[in-house]
Amino acid sequence: MEQIIKKPANIIPRPNLRDYDDALETFKWESAYDQVEWFDGKLNAAYNAVDRHAKSHRRDKVALYWQGVDRNEKYTFFEMSRLSNRFANVLTDLGIEKHDRVFIFLPRVPETYISFLGILKTGAIAGTMFSAFGPEGLYDRLHNSGARYLITNSSLKERVYQIKDDLVDLERLIIVDCDDGVGVADDEVSYTEAMKNASETFDTVQMLPDDPAFMLYTSGTTGKPKGVVHRHLAIVQQHVTTKWVLDLHEDDIYWCTADPGWVTGISYGLLGPFSCGASVVVYDGRFDPEVWYSVIEKYQVNVWYSAPTAFRLLAQAPDAHKSHDLSSLRHICSVGEPLNSEIVHWGVRTFGLPIHDNFWQTETGGILIANYPSLPIKPGWMGKPIPGIKAAIVDDSGCEVARGVEGNLALVADFPSLMLTIWKNSAKYREYFSGGWYFTGDRAVQHEDGYFLFIGRADDVINTSGERVGPFEVESALIEHPAIVEAGVIGKPDALRGEIIKAFVVLAPGYEPSDELTSDVKRFVKTRLAGHAYPREFEIVDTLPKTRSGKIVRRMLRAKELGLPIGDVSTLEE
Ligand code: PRX
């Protein structure tokens, strides 16, 4: 069995969660409600993230250090509070009301953070979209959510205009990078102009704990992406887990490398750390080991939250850290895909610190299982449930299995950051629950000692570089290409990216396999769906395995690819 890493006491002198076992036994979520501020049973996550600090001794503390490619900026809690107030006024003047949807399609610029907070302050629901999305990915999200306004910039807006005529609910675009309104079309709103004219005071709308705050689309096995809606109360779990798992302390400088278009970039790139009053570093630029290490050095980052693929890429540049002083680092965490034990050990060799894995999902809004500063790390294992979470391994009928036996990773659904619903699809929402459990869709094992080991997805969802991709969306995009009549898509294990997307396609009559065709199809999926969701591998086949009702059996494609047994074929087409 893997050796457990016992950390020297001086690495984390005073972890926020000192006695895990005691907290596991005694902690109740209600007891953490007073870690955020309430107004007669109501609250607002944005108020808790910035305004309460702007009124405290943290008023002039830097909340956001923003590093762009060739410039940088910083914003105090007071400035973030005032700017998000201004944006809330901009939206209110435009007629935005409680529960309306306002979406953001931007890179990691300060306006992303300011507008997200401003949206929450009005009581509207904020949605973020990764800046690599193409027109089809945007259409699915904007159409399903019925977003009324979209905040974007002058280059990304071109992709929106390719589909805007079909979006009946989308009223106007707010463009952030057009100073003094120059370059803004008549029916667009200039962010700069509107912000200049808006008041910097705003009465933040106080929301019920279960009122929706933000939504993020994520992929399942079938159908279009699902709009996962999160409530304002989730801030309680984001706050507590930021303290316990990321171990943020008052003077910490914290860098989360996740994009705000994904859940980690919101729950732990914005809400959790701001709520704890920490200074957050945001780097908006390409991945480059030298630049990443220089960000840690320049901002004296203490706590760093990233993902296995990023660590594996850094490990491929074994000398890059040597020219940087990284001694500020105190605690490193990872999420999104399995963290192989070699990378945990690489962390020890490279930074003198092990990497702490943790597990959660878009739907759970906050961390569920983790390796903690105060507990030994078990490399390769996701860790133990956070206090307040009951996690278990159950069989398909919801009965708990013995320790050491593989099964479905399930949770008791009574924690504050669990999704409120799936937007306009309560049937999909209900599918997550059975026999009193929330099913994560993941397979895992729990060891005698309580640690959980990730085995794999129970469904066909692909996890490439920590980003979740639905095979159905990729297949749908592929068959829109004139050369392709049928497509089946799987995740193929990959040493660097965890999985890569592999497509099996049947060509239309008259088309012949060629390198040009392959590159054209890749480009087609990249520009229509998203930059990260294109198949890196193609195989042209004569037919695809299907059930008698015509559904493609991806399990067989995967078995064939990996040389595994094909399993039960009784329901397949002749
Ligand atoms: O399969 C699990 C994997 O990522 C899925 C959730 O993806 P997403 O909703 O995009 O959220 C990612 C960031 C929270 C899970 O169902 N996953 C997440 N963390 C881990 C993981 N797989 C293995 N180990 C992890 N630590």
Side-chain angles (χ1 to χ4, degrees):
M1 202 195 69
E2 263 295 341
Q3 189 201 346
I4 285 198
I5 297 185
K6 291 215 172 65
K7 288 161 280 182
N10 63 351
I11 291 187
I12 315 276
R14 280 174 64 84
N16 287 323
L17 180 63
R18 261 164 264 171
D19 190 339
Y20 172 82
D21 291 323
D22 179 59
L24 189 69
E25 217 158 275
T26 57
F27 177 78
K28 298 267 178 292
W29 284 110
E30 292 72 23
S31 68
Y33 282 12
D34 63 1
Q35 299 205 24
V36 300
E37 253 181 77
W38 294 77
F39 299 87
D40 287 337
K42 293 186 170 181
L43 81 169
N44 190 300
Y47 177 90
N48 278 293
V50 288
D51 294 345
R52 64 170 164 155
H53 303 305
K55 292 180 179 157
S56 78
H57 62 282
R58 299 196 182 102
R59 183 185 190 277
D60 298 320
K61 175 178 177 174
V62 174
L64 177 67
Y65 288 102
W66 179 74
Q67 176 71 55
V69 175
D70 46 21
R71 65 197 175 91
N72 53 67
E73 291 169 10
K74 55 184 181 192
Y75 298 83
T76 63
F77 278 104
F78 182 75
E79 287 166 331
M80 288 302 280
S81 161
R82 290 300 174 268
L83 287 164
S84 51
N85 277 349
R86 278 183 193 265
F87 194 68
N89 279 313
V90 168
L91 291 178
T92 306
D93 289 349
L94 290 168
I96 285 297
E97 292 177 356
K98 206 169 169 175
H99 298 181
D100 280 346
R101 275 78 57 215
V102 180
F103 269 53
I104 303 169
F105 180 42
L106 282 174
R108 304 169 194 202
V109 288
E111 291 84 352
T112 302
Y113 297 81
I114 293 163
S115 58
F116 184 92
L117 293 164
I119 296 166
L120 263 56
K121 286 183 173 185
T122 67
I125 306 171
T128 53
M129 297 185 296
F130 187 38
S131 57
F133 280 126
E136 211 154 295
L138 296 173
Y139 175 82
D140 290 343
R141 289 158 175 80
L142 294 169
H143 172 73
N144 178 263
S145 64
R148 288 184 59 192
Y149 277 82
L150 175 69
I151 302 125
T152 186
N153 67 23
S154 51
S155 60
L156 292 174
K157 76 178 183 183
E158 300 307 329
R159 287 185 227 159
V160 183
Y161 279 115
Q162 292 180 38
I163 45 150
K164 185 161 183 306
D165 288 348
D166 297 324
L167 294 167
V168 288
D169 299 309
L170 185 60
E171 293 168 33
R172 293 169 79 185
L173 306 190
I174 301 175
I175 311 294
V176 300
D177 57 346
C178 296
D179 284 346
D180 298 328
V182 177
V184 174
D186 284 348
D187 58 349
E188 293 171 348
V189 178
S190 157
Y191 175 92
T192 319
E193 283 278 295
M195 288 289 274
K196 222 187 277 171
N197 300 327
S199 158
E200 61 173 29
T201 57
F202 183 77
D203 273 337
T204 294
V205 178
Q206 295 306 331
M207 309 295 282
L208 292 169
D210 283 346
D211 270 330
F214 66 97
M215 64 195 286
L216 284 156
Y217 280 79
T218 194
S219 299
T221 304
T222 54
K224 294 288 189 188
K226 312 171 264 195
V228 175
V229 184
H230 285 290
R231 58 190 111 208
H232 279 267
L233 185 68
I235 193 81
V236 172
Q237 187 160 342
Q238 287 145 358
H239 181 99
V240 169
T241 49
T242 297
K243 280 198 153 163
W244 284 348
V245 180
L246 307 176
D247 199 45
L248 281 194
H249 290 249
E250 177 69 35
D251 295 326
D252 277 336
I253 311 283
Y254 164 75
W255 183 28
C256 169
T257 63
D259 191 279
W262 306 122
V263 73
T264 310
I266 296 297
S267 295
Y268 297 102
L270 195 169
L271 292 171
F274 279 166
S275 179
C276 292
S279 298
V280 172
V281 174
V282 171
Y283 163 61
D284 183 38
R286 281 172 54 81
F287 174 84
D288 175 319
E290 285 291 342
V291 179
W292 272 40
Y293 290 135
S294 68
V295 168
I296 295 174
E297 184 173 25
K298 174 172 172 185
Y299 294 99
Q300 298 281 290
V301 170
N302 311 114
V303 180
W304 183 24
Y305 194 19
S306 194
T309 296
F311 292 125
R312 287 190 289 261
L313 283 165
L314 290 171
Q316 287 190 347
D319 295 328
H321 68 283
K322 291 184 180 153
S323 49
H324 300 276
D325 177 3
L326 306 179
S327 58
S328 60
L329 282 175
R330 189 192 79 236
H331 186 47
I332 311 178
C333 295
S334 169
V335 75
E337 32 169 348
L339 181 69
N340 35 324
S341 55
E342 301 85 79
I343 291 296
V344 179
H345 294 293
W346 166 81
V348 176
R349 286 197 307 279
T350 312
F351 311 111
L353 300 170
I355 300 174
H356 294 68
D357 193 15
N358 55 70
F359 167 90
W360 57 292
Q361 310 178 289
T362 305
E363 292 89 337
T364 70
I367 299 172
L368 305 167
I369 293 176
N371 281 280
Y372 305 86
S374 56
L375 290 186
I377 284 191
K378 201 169 169 182
W381 293 64
M382 300 191 290
K384 295 187 177 190
I386 58 163
I389 295 287
K390 158 84 177 145
I393 304 296
V394 302
D395 63 19
D396 290 348
S397 49
C399 293
E400 284 192 57
V401 301
R403 295 270 168 117
V405 175
E406 181 193 321
N408 301 298
L409 176 54
L411 311 158
V412 174
D414 62 353
F415 50 94
S417 70
L418 182 63
M419 65 179 159
L420 188 61
T421 189
I422 298 288
W423 187 255
K424 283 195 195 150
N425 200 341
S426 48
K428 251 299 177 254
Y429 172 74
R430 284 194 300 273
E431 280 174 18
Y432 285 90
F433 302 90
S434 173
W437 296 100
Y438 163 85
F439 277 71
T440 59
D442 289 308
R443 306 275 299 167
V445 171
Q446 188 176 21
H447 192 259
E448 283 302 337
D449 59 13
Y451 281 77
F452 282 82
L453 177 73
F454 181 81
I455 303 287
R457 285 293 299 178
D459 56 21
D460 293 333
V461 168
I462 300 166
N463 189 335
T464 180
S465 303
E467 276 155 12
R468 190 161 146 183
V469 176
F472 175 80
E473 294 158 62
V474 185
E475 290 161 0
S476 310
L478 281 167
I479 57 177
E480 281 177 41
H481 190 283
I484 294 176
V485 282
E486 279 183 342
V489 162
I490 62 161
K492 177 178 171 180
D494 180 80
L496 183 63
R497 297 189 165 80
E499 288 183 320
I500 55 161
I501 302 173
K502 169 150 189 177
F504 295 84
V505 296
V506 177
L507 292 186
Y511 284 91
E512 290 298 324
S514 71
D515 288 350
E516 292 84 75
L517 179 65
T518 306
S519 341
D520 186 58
V521 173
K522 283 184 184 175
R523 204 170 33 244
F524 182 82
V525 178
K526 235 187 224 183
T527 50
R528 292 180 79 99
L529 202 57
H532 65 286
Y534 77 96
R536 282 175 191 267
E537 274 191 26
F538 273 93
E539 188 169 325
I540 292 165
V541 290
D542 294 332
T543 53
L544 288 169
K546 289 203 210 100
T547 60
R548 294 204 186 99
S549 59
K551 263 174 59 183
I552 291 165
V553 188
R554 302 189 190 100
R555 150 179 83 77
M556 282 189 66
L557 293 172
R558 199 176 305 115
K560 186 176 149 246
E561 180 68 33
L562 305 179
L564 299 171
I566 285 178
D568 180 13
V569 291
S570 59
T571 58
L572 300 192
E573 240 179 14
E574 292 301 311

